[in-house]
């Protein structure tokens, strides 16, 4: 995928995720990442965020896997990589195409609403050096996702934060980035209250 045909809306990213692969059999992580482009930080963040936000997150281990992918992607941005690398072990993991299509219908309904309100504004908040602040925040969120899997629905908030950061980067929407920071605070509240009580 080149810069010219890079996804610019949430609906486009959802369409690329659900249409990944050759149309038959399960959809692998490698096929999903290839469909969104491994040079684009925003869409690469959106992939695990949206998957954990969807009904697929009910599968045990999916939020933890999503956290690992987010950690890898955000960590690589922090060290200055231009093309994001994901281990073959993770790339080979696959999701049922039927489940992905079902999740896609749910996410597309959300995307149509979200795309109406997301637009370029306060764009400096999603460009350097602030994109590194976003990446560091995503690393912290990713680390919190495995323990939060023990708290029912807690990772919905972390996934919403990751998705909001990813979409903010795709759409150059600094206001959405600020909302994502607020969601991050809520997710850490769940983490600490869950660990303490």
């Amino acid at each position: 995928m080149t810069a010219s045909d890079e996804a610019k809306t949430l609906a486009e990213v959802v369409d690329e995720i659900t249409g990944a692969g050759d149309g038959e059999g399960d959809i692998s992580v490698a096929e999903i990442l290839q469909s969104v482009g491994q040079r684009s930080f925003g869409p690469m963040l959106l992939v695990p965020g949206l998957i954990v936000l969807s009904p697929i997150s009910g599968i045990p281990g999916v939020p933890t896997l999503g956290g690992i992918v987010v950690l890898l992607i955000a960590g690589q941005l922090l060290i200055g990589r231009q093309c994001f690398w994901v281990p073959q072990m993770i790339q080979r993991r696959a999701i049922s195409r039927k489940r992905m299509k079902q999740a896609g219908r749910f996410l597309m309904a959300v995307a149509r609403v979200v795309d109406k309100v997301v637009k370029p504004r306060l764009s400096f908040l999603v460009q350097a050096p602030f994109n590194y602040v976003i990446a560091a925040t995503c690393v912290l969120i990713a680390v919190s996702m495995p323990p939060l899997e023990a708290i029912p629905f807690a990772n919905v908030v972390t996934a919403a934060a990751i998705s909001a950061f990813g979409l903010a980067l795709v759409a150059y929407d600094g206001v959405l980035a600020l909302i994502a920071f607020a969601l991050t605070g809520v997710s850490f509240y769940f983490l600490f209250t869950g660990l303490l009580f």
Side-chain angles (χ1 to χ4, degrees), residues 2 8 22 38 44 56 60 72-73 81 84 94 104-105 111 113-114 121 138 157-158 164 170 172 174-175 182 192:
T2 63
K8 296 292 191 297
D22 58 10
Q38 288 180 248
M44 286 282 285
I56 291 175
L72 285 167
I73 294 166
R81 283 185 65 92
F84 300 103
R105 286 192 289 271
V113 175
V114 171
R121 49 197 168 172
C138 288
V157 181
T158 60
V170 167
Y172 297 98
V175 172
F192 290 121

Side-chain angles (χ1 to χ4, degrees), residues 33 52 62 84 132 139 149 156 184:
L33 296 180
V52 177
V62 167
F84 300 103
Y132 291 100
V139 166
E149 197 166 347
V156 169
T184 302

Side-chain angles (χ1 to χ4, degrees), residues 68-138:
I68 292 169
V69 174
V70 170
L71 181 63
L72 285 167
I73 294 166
Q76 287 175 74
L77 178 71
L78 286 174
I79 63 173
R81 283 185 65 92
Q82 299 299 311
C83 185
F84 300 103
W85 169 85
V86 177
Q88 286 293 323
M89 180 180 67
I90 294 176
Q91 291 195 42
R92 286 194 294 267
R93 295 290 296 268
I95 299 169
S96 159
R97 188 170 295 274
K98 181 180 178 181
R99 281 183 180 268
M100 185 64 81
K101 292 292 185 185
Q102 291 170 342
R105 286 192 289 271
F106 166 79
L107 292 171
M108 190 59 77
V110 174
R112 291 193 183 104
V113 175
V114 171
D115 283 338
K116 290 178 181 178
V117 296
V118 173
K119 58 187 177 182
R121 49 197 168 172
L122 299 181
S123 299
F124 69 94
L125 291 174
V126 294
Q127 297 170 343
F130 294 103
N131 60 335
Y132 291 100
V133 176
I134 290 174
T137 304
C138 288

